[in-house]
Structures are given as structure tokens and as C-alpha cells.
Amino acid sequence: MTDHEYMQQALSLAQRAKGFTSPNPCVGAVVVKNGRVVGKGFHRAAGLPHAEVEALDDAGPKAMDATLYVTLEPCNHFGKTPPCTHKIINAGIKKLVVGCPDPNPSVCGGGIRYLKDKGINVVSGVLEKESKCLIEEFSWYTRHDQKPFVILKCAATLDGRIATSTGDSKWITNEKSRNHVHKIRHEVDAILVGSGTLHADNPSLTSRIKGVQTKDPVRIVLDTHLSIREDANLITRESFAETIIFTGPEVSGEKKNMLTEKGVQIIEIPLKDGRLDLNELMIKLGRMSILSLLIEGGSRVAGSALKEGIVNKVLFFLAPKILGGSDGIPIFKGKGPLLIKDAFKLKDVMVTQFDDDILVRGYLK
């Protein structure tokens, strides 16, 4: 097998922990000796052993003079666990193959340099693009003043409508598409909707995949006037995930107290042009160690998120359905650019099919 194939095994291991490791990145590792995999591991959750430690412990004495494949540069500092570089040296690893360097500017390259200085042969950049993609939210957070990596998701008809004129949207996309969205919900730290979506759909914003263990994201609502109903699913449905409502100043103290007693966290943020300031929201969420945020609507929130420049990645699910009128609810509300040259442009675009639905995925420049 090649370095790429062994690294792919490490990436597959890391993917198994996606959604469980935040605020740490998910990492996988494989120990190979004489052409055989003798140890495997992945970082399962913050505070638990890192992938390298799991893999080396799994390999035991067979790690001596072996090659270690790891998706992310080993740490060289003391945190909740000792440095993985020390473990690698003590295990007798002869060669290290790394997917990508640590994105944190303060530690980037430190682990690789340390191991090279100790006489270990280090090769970096094997399946680097895939390794970086796996931890894109961690990379963004550590390199951009601890602000969340934001994913904007929508499900629309071919003529760009997310609901009919009556607000009916169940279901635009098929079951496979919806299951994929629940997988994404599991992988992110938080999910956000506006008060319009809250009242129209009364969502639970949980992650539900039959036969699969998932975690619910922190559930966030933008509700300027604190209009949420007391019997909303976000309040009454059981979940281990926290519910947070961001609201404007001068809302009812009585309503705030009632919601707080029901376990809802209320946070006031300033208004900008009569709407909640989304850049202030990003700062607040970052301070709460929320590395990734999925925005699921509605139209005004989606439009505002684009215009305020907080969106990193878009997921557009398109169903082969046409409403055929101009009265349905569009993907975005508000004013757009006057010229095509000023449209938001995507890069690294990928297209995936879920039966007859299409997912267009890309990154904003």
C-alpha cells in the first residue's frame, strides 16, 4: 500500500469522531510496520487521548521502528494531555507521515521540527487538502480571532423557493437529503434560525439519524423582540443541547425570566439597522467556544448573513420541483447587487446527488 492509502485509513478513522471532539480537531492515526497496519486510533473527545496515543498504545511493542501516519501534525505542548511528540519518540517510531500542519499560528510546525531534530524522518503534506478539509472549522477559528466557521444551508425548488406562499415547505427535498442535513447538524457545534422560521416551522433543531448515535448542536434563535412561544418545540422537546436566544435590548423582563426558568439562555446584543448585529453575534459565539455554526434560515437571516460577510461555506439542496409562480418564499430576502459582477462567487465547488436531489457545495471567496 502507498502513503496515500494509509493516510486515507487515518482520515476515515478521524471522520468517525466528527462532531464529538470540539473544541479540539478530529484526528486519526495509523501505525504501519513491514507493510502491515499494527495500530489504529483516533481522538474521540476533548480531554481523551489523542489519535497518536491511541494508535501507539494499540500497536504496543510493534511500534518500534514503525511508521506513524497521522492526519494532523502531532502536538508538542502540554495541554489536557502530554505532548504527543514525546510519546512518538518513546515508542521508537522511525518515520512520521503527516497530513497537514497544525493551523494554529503559535504552534504550526513546532511538532514537526521537534521530531526532525530528534532524528525522526518526517514527511508532510500527504492528502493535505483532505486533511485540512476535515478540520476546516478548527482552522478558521484558530486563525480568525476565534470566530465560528459558518455554513449556510438551504433547501429549494429549481425556481429558487424554500416554501409556498402559505409557508408550506414539507418536504421540498427527499429523505436522503434530509438525513444528510441531520448528519451535518451532528457535526457542527451550533445551529441557527431566525424568528420567522421558528414561528413558521416550530423546529426542534435536533440531529436524528435512525440507528446512529448523534449529538444535538447548541440551538440558537435570532429573536429581536423575544417573540418565541412558551410551547415551542425548542423549549418543550427534550435535548441535552442548550437553547440560546439572542435578542435585542429593551425586551420584556417578565418574558426573559419565564424563559430562563425553562432553561433557555437569553443574550442581548446590539441592533444594526434595526436588526441583530451578526458580527457581534460571531464574537459572542466565539467566546462560547462555538467553532462551527450551521445557519438554516429563513430568507432574511440567510440574506443578512451573506451581506454581513460571515458565511464561509454554502450547501444548496435543489429538488427537481417547480412551483412556477412568483408568490413563493425565495431563498433570500432583501436587496441584492445591481450588477452580476458583484454577485457572491463560490470556489472549490462540488456537486453531489441524493437520488433525484442535487447538493451544490462551495466556499465563498
Side-chain angles (χ1 to χ4, degrees):
M1 294 179 67
T2 65
D3 283 353
H4 282 70
E5 290 171 311
Y6 288 125
M7 187 61 73
Q8 187 57 60
Q9 289 191 31
L11 286 166
S12 297
L13 286 166
Q15 183 65 44
R16 290 167 59 180
K18 191 78 172 176
F20 293 113
T21 63
S22 187
N24 291 353
C26 48
V27 182
V30 173
V31 182
V32 177
K33 187 171 185 180
N34 299 325
R36 292 179 56 248
V37 174
V38 296
K40 297 179 180 180
F42 61 94
H43 182 46
R44 297 173 186 270
L48 294 183
H50 288 185
E52 301 94 318
V53 174
E54 276 213 348
L56 291 170
D57 285 346
D58 187 38
K62 296 177 182 177
M64 178 64 68
D65 293 328
T67 298
L68 174 64
Y69 294 82
V70 61
T71 58
L72 180 67
E73 175 186 359
C75 64
N76 191 39
H77 57 275
F78 284 90
K80 292 183 178 180
T81 57
C84 289
T85 51
H86 295 188
K87 179 81 174 182
I88 291 168
I89 292 168
N90 293 335
I93 288 294
K94 186 176 182 179
K95 179 181 177 181
L96 173 70
V97 181
V98 176
C100 67
D102 193 312
N104 190 329
S106 63
V107 299
C108 180
I112 290 175
R113 286 192 298 271
Y114 180 80
L115 292 171
K116 282 183 176 180
D117 290 344
K118 295 297 180 178
I120 293 177
N121 179 18
V122 180
V123 177
S124 184
V126 175
L127 294 186
E128 184 171 10
K129 183 177 180 180
E130 293 84 348
S131 298
K132 286 182 175 180
C133 182
L134 183 69
I135 60 167
E136 59 188 7
E137 66 288 329
F138 175 78
S139 298
W140 176 267
Y141 184 83
T142 56
R143 296 168 59 195
H144 293 85
D145 300 323
Q146 296 188 330
K147 291 181 180 178
F149 182 86
V150 178
I151 304 167
L152 175 62
K153 168 260 170 184
C154 75
T157 62
L158 289 180
D159 48 350
R161 304 293 164 172
I162 62 172
T164 67
S165 59
T166 65
D168 180 40
S169 61
K170 293 183 171 58
W171 294 106
I172 289 177
T173 53
N174 62 35
E175 186 175 0
K176 279 192 176 181
S177 294
R178 298 197 299 274
N179 282 341
H180 187 69
V181 171
H182 280 274
K183 177 178 177 289
I184 296 167
R185 286 181 177 184
H186 156 76
E187 293 178 350
V188 298
D189 292 336
I191 182 173
L192 179 148
V193 297
S195 57
T197 298
L198 175 73
H199 297 311
D201 298 342
N202 193 22
S204 300
L205 302 182
T206 53
S207 176
R208 307 177 299 278
I209 306 175
K210 188 175 181 180
V212 178
Q213 180 189 1
T214 59
K215 71 149 195 20
D216 293 339
V218 174
R219 299 170 298 174
I220 298 172
V221 179
L222 300 183
D223 192 357
T224 306
H225 305 292
L226 207 56
S227 59
I228 186 172
R229 291 171 46 177
E230 297 178 31
D231 60 349
N233 285 336
L234 281 176
I235 298 174
T236 60
R237 292 276 178 91
E238 288 189 11
S239 173
F240 289 109
E242 188 176 10
T243 298
I244 305 174
I245 298 178
F246 284 88
T247 189
E250 301 177 5
V251 296
S252 167
E254 183 179 350
K255 184 77 171 284
K256 286 174 62 175
N257 292 336
M258 181 274 294
L259 292 170
T260 301
E261 289 175 1
K262 292 180 179 290
V264 178
Q265 184 176 357
I266 309 296
I267 300 177
E268 291 186 13
I269 57 174
L271 300 181
K272 181 180 179 181
D273 299 325
R275 304 183 66 82
L276 297 175
D277 189 333
L278 296 185
N279 283 290
E280 182 66 25
L281 173 71
M282 292 299 103
I283 295 172
K284 295 279 188 184
L285 294 180
R287 290 174 180 169
M288 298 165 69
S289 296
I290 290 177
L291 277 63
S292 55
L293 174 70
L294 176 65
I295 297 179
E296 284 206 17
S299 296
R300 291 201 180 278
V301 170
S304 296
L306 274 182
K307 291 179 179 64
E308 290 298 318
I310 67 169
V311 178
N312 301 96
K313 184 177 183 178
V314 298
L315 302 175
F316 274 38
F317 290 85
L318 299 174
K321 299 173 183 177
I322 302 171
L323 292 185
S326 60
D327 57 344
I329 299 176
I331 299 172
F332 301 106
K333 285 185 179 178
K335 289 186 177 181
L338 299 177
L339 301 173
I340 290 295
K341 70 178 183 67
D342 296 324
F344 295 95
K345 300 176 181 66
L346 299 182
K347 62 179 182 178
D348 297 331
V349 175
M350 292 183 63
V351 177
T352 309
Q353 198 159 344
F354 295 94
D355 286 340
D356 54 357
D357 287 350
I358 293 173
L359 167 61
V360 179
R361 175 176 50 199
Y363 298 84
L364 283 166
K365 292 185 177 181

